[in-house]
């Protein structure tokens, strides 16, 4: 007897709404300096290692091998659990064509296969999120079935090995044993947001973690899958969540911090159009009620997130962090420059100036002063000695190799610190 059945698993097309979060990267500025004895140099032709120091700070290291079942499969399987093990064995190795010999009652073979595939895929949400089209054919008699599978993925084994190498390199730059759960989640959120521009224009699948890592572009599915991979590598319990927003399908994460579940949407923490080095925290460690204002999901399928312990993070924009303190533009107070102690959530206003594109070097903060023409300004980290360095509109500040880089209408400029 020959019977054929086909199952298709279609990758969810996930989209992100567009927010207008400010200016794009502009080019160079005219030399004009007032009130400070500093030298502004043209930096348009500088070969920079990165606009964001985290972006390509990948340590070349031999990555761990893919996490797979390190066992040899038997020639045939007899139970649902063994059938599930076989499917997981092949899926975890990103195999595209394989055959499983099932020896047992085939009276409900279709449901048996569906259950085994579903449970195998659910063992690892990272694999689950990368599954694409699947075709299953089988031939059987009363107590014997040959199951042939053609499975496609958003990536392949070679690409996943690159993901493992790069994730291992990124995580090697921190010391997980010395970090709190909060610090681990913030590190991952900041890395992904700073290094990625939301885009569907990728060579690899924009829905994959590979595209986000390799091309620094992708969509929410790729953001969430990379966050899952990195957080699990740091020892943070994490789930991959599929739901909807007003534009359609969407993906994000649930993370467990200090024993409590919270939502993390790295995609919606990333301003669009992309703003270099700017991270938002409106969707950072929030509860069901808050994210439920604009996200929907099948809540029964996921843990409950009922704590709002980190809601204070939502006020933070254009953040610069140093020694456990975050210097930021306070969205709840007209984007005035503030300082926050992340261990307590206590905030202090540093000045009456509206600040964006905040960076730091030593005891000084540098920012675009939107209370004074978006001019380049500096202030000490204790809020004293504020002054204007450059009387022209600047944006997209970053520090590299002892220089402060910034953009104005004339191009990229730099100032030695």
């Amino acid at each position: 007897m020959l019977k054929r059945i086909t199952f298709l698993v279609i990758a969810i097309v996930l989209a992100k709404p567009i927010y207008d979060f400010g200016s794009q990267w502009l080019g160079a500025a005219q030399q004009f300096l007032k009130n400070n004895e500093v030298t502004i140099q043209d930096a348009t032709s500088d070969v920079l290692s990165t606009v964001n120091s985290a972006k390509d700070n990948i340590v070349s290291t031999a990555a761990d091998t893919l996490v797979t079942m390190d066992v040899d499969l038997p020639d045939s399987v007899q139970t649902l659990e063994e059938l599930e093990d076989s499917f997981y064995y092949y899926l975890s190795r990103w195999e595209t064509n394989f055959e499983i010999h099932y020896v047992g009652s085939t009276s409900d073979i279709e449901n048996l296969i569906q259950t085994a595939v579903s449970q195998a895929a659910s063992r690892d949400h990272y694999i689950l999120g990368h599954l694409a089209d699947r075709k299953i054919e089988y031939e059987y008699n009363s107590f014997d079935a040959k199951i042939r599978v053609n499975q496609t993925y958003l990536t392949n084994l070679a690409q996943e090995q690159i993901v493992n190498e790069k994730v291992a390199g990124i995580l090697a730059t921190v010391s997980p044993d010395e970090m709190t759960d909060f610090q681990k989640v913030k590190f991952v959120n900041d890395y992904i947001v700073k290094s990625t521009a939301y885009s569907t224009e990728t060579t690899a699948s924009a829905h994959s973690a590979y595209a986000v890592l390799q091309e620094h572009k992708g969509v929410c599915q790729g953001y969430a899958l990379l966050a899952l991979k990195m957080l699990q590598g740091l020892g943070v319990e994490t789930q991959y969540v599929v739901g909807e927003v007003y534009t359609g399908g969407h993906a994000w994460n649930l993370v467990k911090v200090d024993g409590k579940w919270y939502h993390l949407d790295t995609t919606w923490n990333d301003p669009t159009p992309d703003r270099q080095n700017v991270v938002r925290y409106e969707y950072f460690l929030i509860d069901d009620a808050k994210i439920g204002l604009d996200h929907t999901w099948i809540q029964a399928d996921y843990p409950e997130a009922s704590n709002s312990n980190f809601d204070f993070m939502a006020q933070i924009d254009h953040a610069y962090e140093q020694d456990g303190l975050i210097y930021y533009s306070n969205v709840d107070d007209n984007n005035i420059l503030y300082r926050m102690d992340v261990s307590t959530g206590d905030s202090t206003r540093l000045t009456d100036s509206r600040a964006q594109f905040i960076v730091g070097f030593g005891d000084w903060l540098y920012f675009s002063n939107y209370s004074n023409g978006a001019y380049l300004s500096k202030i000490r980290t204790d809020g004293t000695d504020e002054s204007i360095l450059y009387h022209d509109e600047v944006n997209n500040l970053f520090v590299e190799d002892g220089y402060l880089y910034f953009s104005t209408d004339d191009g990229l400029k730099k100032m030695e610190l």
Side-chain angles (χ1 to χ4, degrees):
M1 177 186 296
L2 176 65
K3 182 176 180 181
R4 297 181 183 273
I5 184 169
T6 300
F7 304 122
L8 292 180
V9 178
I10 306 298
I12 300 172
V13 177
L14 301 168
K16 178 190 174 186
I18 302 301
Y19 290 111
D20 183 9
F21 276 151
S23 29
Q24 296 291 296
W25 183 268
L26 301 173
Q30 59 184 11
Q31 289 190 350
F32 181 74
L33 188 62
K34 191 174 182 180
N35 297 340
N36 287 273
E37 294 183 357
V38 294
T39 301
I40 304 296
Q41 304 176 49
D42 186 89
T44 306
S45 62
D46 279 24
V47 179
L48 301 174
S49 60
T50 176
V51 169
N52 160 29
S53 60
K55 181 171 182 178
D56 291 310
N57 189 18
I58 308 297
V59 177
S60 297
T61 178
D64 294 335
T65 56
L66 292 169
V67 178
T68 57
M69 295 174 59
D70 193 18
V71 296
D72 292 326
L73 284 181
D75 293 334
S76 61
V77 296
Q78 303 180 41
T79 67
L80 171 62
E81 183 178 359
E82 290 178 350
L83 184 58
E84 178 187 331
D85 285 344
S86 294
F87 273 108
Y88 182 71
Y89 176 92
Y90 291 112
L91 295 179
S92 66
R93 285 164 169 75
W94 309 86
E95 294 280 357
T96 54
N97 292 285
F98 54 90
E99 180 176 304
I100 301 172
H101 186 197
Y102 172 74
V103 180
S105 173
T106 61
S107 60
D108 194 18
I109 186 66
E110 182 176 332
N111 183 59
L112 184 74
I113 293 173
Q114 285 180 315
T115 301
V117 171
S118 176
Q119 292 181 176
S122 296
R123 287 188 186 183
D124 187 329
H125 282 194
Y126 182 81
I127 296 172
L128 176 64
H130 282 90
L131 296 178
D133 295 349
R134 177 187 305 129
K135 180 180 180 181
I136 297 179
E137 299 178 339
Y138 55 87
E139 55 182 297
Y140 68 96
N141 57 35
S142 297
F143 291 96
D144 186 279
K146 290 184 179 179
I147 305 165
R148 300 181 184 89
V149 183
N150 174 258
Q151 174 70 61
T152 60
Y153 307 84
L154 301 181
T155 56
N156 56 45
L157 181 61
Q159 290 173 331
E160 288 305 318
Q161 289 172 335
I162 292 172
V163 169
N164 278 355
E165 290 172 2
K166 292 207 166 189
V167 168
I170 296 164
L171 301 188
T173 65
V174 297
S175 301
D177 293 342
E178 300 175 5
M179 300 171 72
T180 64
D181 289 344
F182 171 88
Q183 290 171 328
K184 293 174 183 177
V185 176
K186 186 175 181 299
F187 170 78
V188 170
N189 178 79
D190 292 1
Y191 177 85
I192 293 175
V193 171
K194 289 182 178 181
S195 65
T196 311
Y198 184 90
S199 176
T200 59
E201 298 179 359
T202 56
T203 302
S205 170
H207 303 277
S208 69
Y210 174 81
V212 174
L213 267 179
Q214 186 74 357
E215 301 181 47
H216 304 298
K217 295 186 292 186
V219 297
C220 55
Q221 189 170 346
Y223 279 68
L225 289 169
L226 179 57
L228 175 76
K229 184 87 166 180
M230 293 178 68
L231 287 165
Q232 288 179 336
L234 290 173
V236 176
E237 190 172 349
T238 312
Q239 292 198 17
Y240 172 69
V241 183
V242 174
E244 291 190 356
V245 293
Y246 71 90
T247 55
H250 190 55
W252 65 97
N253 300 97
L254 274 160
V255 297
K256 185 178 279 189
V257 173
D258 300 330
K260 299 179 176 62
W261 285 100
Y262 299 88
H263 292 271
L264 171 70
D265 191 338
T266 52
T267 310
W268 279 28
N269 285 333
D270 191 3
T272 314
D274 192 54
R275 296 187 298 172
Q276 301 287 345
N277 288 323
V278 175
V279 183
R280 298 210 67 183
Y281 298 92
E282 187 176 357
Y283 295 87
F284 180 85
L285 301 183
I286 58 178
D287 61 12
D288 289 341
K290 187 170 183 181
I291 202 168
L293 296 174
D294 43 34
H295 291 53
T296 59
W297 68 103
I298 302 175
Q299 297 192 29
D301 291 347
Y302 301 96
E304 179 184 10
S306 58
N307 292 275
S308 56
N309 298 346
F310 300 101
D311 279 2
F312 62 84
M313 292 292 291
Q315 66 187 283
I316 295 175
D317 197 9
H318 292 271
Y320 166 72
E321 186 172 359
Q322 182 185 65
D323 300 329
L325 299 172
I326 298 178
Y327 302 89
Y328 66 99
S329 177
N330 191 331
V331 297
D332 293 337
D333 187 14
N334 199 31
N335 295 109
I336 300 297
L337 178 61
Y338 271 68
R339 179 183 63 213
M340 176 186 290
D341 185 330
V342 293
S343 64
T344 63
D346 293 336
S347 294
T348 304
R349 194 186 224 206
L350 291 184
T351 176
D352 292 331
S353 296
R354 297 169 58 229
Q356 293 191 19
F357 305 105
I358 304 162
V359 297
F361 187 84
D363 295 330
W364 290 95
L365 303 173
Y366 301 87
F367 60 96
S368 181
N369 190 332
Y370 275 74
S371 294
N372 286 286
Y375 296 163
L376 176 63
S377 298
K378 72 173 182 177
I379 191 173
R380 291 191 183 275
T381 54
D382 62 4
T384 62
D385 297 334
E386 181 176 353
S387 62
I388 295 175
L389 299 179
Y390 191 78
H391 286 251
D392 203 350
E393 181 178 349
V394 302
N395 55 43
N396 295 307
L397 282 65
F398 64 96
V399 174
E400 185 171 306
D401 297 331
Y403 283 90
L404 171 67
Y405 289 85
F406 56 91
S407 291
T408 70
D409 288 338
D410 261 349
L412 185 65
K413 296 291 181 182
K414 67 180 181 180
M415 182 184 78
E416 188 172 7
L417 298 174

